[in-house]
Amino acid sequence: GNVRTRREVIERELKAAASAKTHQDLVTELSKATERLEALDAFRGTMCDVDAGEEHGSVHVSVYVAEKGTNTLAFQPKVSGEEGMMDVAWVHRNLRGGAEWIKGVLSLGHRGSNAVAVEAVQPYAVGNLTARGRLFHETTDEVLACSYKETKRGFSVSASTPGSPITIAYELCHR
C-alpha cells in the first residue's frame, strides 16, 4: 500500500523497533511506531506482522500500510457561540512523499462570521521537529447585549516533536 510515501518516512518511524532486545520490547516499539505512522495522517491504516526468523533469536517484521487518498474534501456543520457555521475543507496529502500536507478551509456563518485559512505541515522539517504554518483571515460577528464585528488576519508558525505535549508557536495578526 506504499505508493506515494517515501520508504525512509516509514523506516524512520520503525527505527526504535530495530533495537528492541526482547519480544515484549519489540511489540511495544512496533505499537508506538504504528501510532506515529497513523499520526502522520498519510495512512488510513497500518499493521505489523512478526514471525520467527530462520536463525535462533531472529524475527521477520512485515509492515503493511494503506495510504489515504491524495485529496480530501470535507463539509462540517458546527455551532460557534450562537452562530451556525459550515466549514468546507480541502486537504492535499503527501505532496512530495514525506507525509506533508496542505489544507484550505472556508467557514461561513449565518450571521456574517466567516474565515479563510491555508495551512501547511511538514513532518520532520528539521531533525525531529514538525513545522506548521498558517495564513488566515477571520471575521467574527458577535451578537450579544452589545454587538461588535472583529476582523483578524495574519499568519502563525509552530514547531513540535512527535508525541510531545509541548509546541512552540508564534502568531502575528492585524485586528
Side-chain angles (χ1 to χ4, degrees):
N2 181 31
V3 177
R4 290 179 306 279
T5 308
R6 292 189 311 268
R7 183 181 176 109
E8 60 264 17
V9 171
I10 297 168
E11 289 173 349
R12 175 184 59 221
E13 302 303 336
L14 295 166
K15 192 181 292 185
S19 62
K21 301 293 183 203
T22 66
H23 181 71
Q24 186 59 41
D25 289 347
L26 179 62
V27 169
T28 301
E29 290 302 327
L30 287 175
S31 176
K32 290 178 184 178
T34 299
E35 290 175 11
R36 287 191 302 269
L37 284 168
E38 290 175 359
L40 291 173
D41 199 32
F43 306 105
R44 99 177 149 254
T46 60
M47 185 176 76
C48 297
D49 281 342
V50 179
D51 294 319
E54 295 172 11
E55 296 179 24
H56 179 70
S58 68
V59 294
H60 291 280
V61 177
S62 299
V63 178
Y64 302 96
V65 295
E67 290 178 318
K68 286 185 177 179
T70 306
N71 294 296
T72 300
L73 183 61
F75 301 90
Q76 179 183 13
K78 65 181 184 180
V79 176
S80 178
E82 294 181 5
E83 185 168 26
M85 305 278 291
M86 174 60 84
D87 286 359
V88 179
W90 166 78
V91 179
H92 185 80
R93 288 181 193 83
N94 245 344
L95 298 166
R96 299 175 305 141
E100 59 280 315
W101 53 264
I102 187 167
K103 174 167 78 171
V105 179
L106 173 64
S107 297
L108 300 172
H110 79 282
R111 291 194 175 155
S113 295
N114 59 60
V116 176
V118 176
E119 183 176 7
V121 173
Q122 174 64 58
Y124 299 95
V126 178
N128 213 20
L129 289 177
T130 296
R132 181 182 304 260
R134 181 174 178 262
L135 295 170
F136 59 89
H137 178 91
E138 301 169 353
T139 301
T140 306
D141 194 1
E142 293 290 337
V143 180
L144 301 169
C146 60
S147 297
Y148 70 92
K149 189 174 224 171
E150 177 185 52
T151 299
K152 180 169 88 169
R153 60 183 166 271
F155 73 93
S156 64
V157 293
S158 65
S160 61
T161 57
S164 173
I166 299 170
T167 298
I168 298 170
Y170 178 77
E171 179 176 287
L172 179 64
C173 68
H174 174 52
R175 293 178 181 229

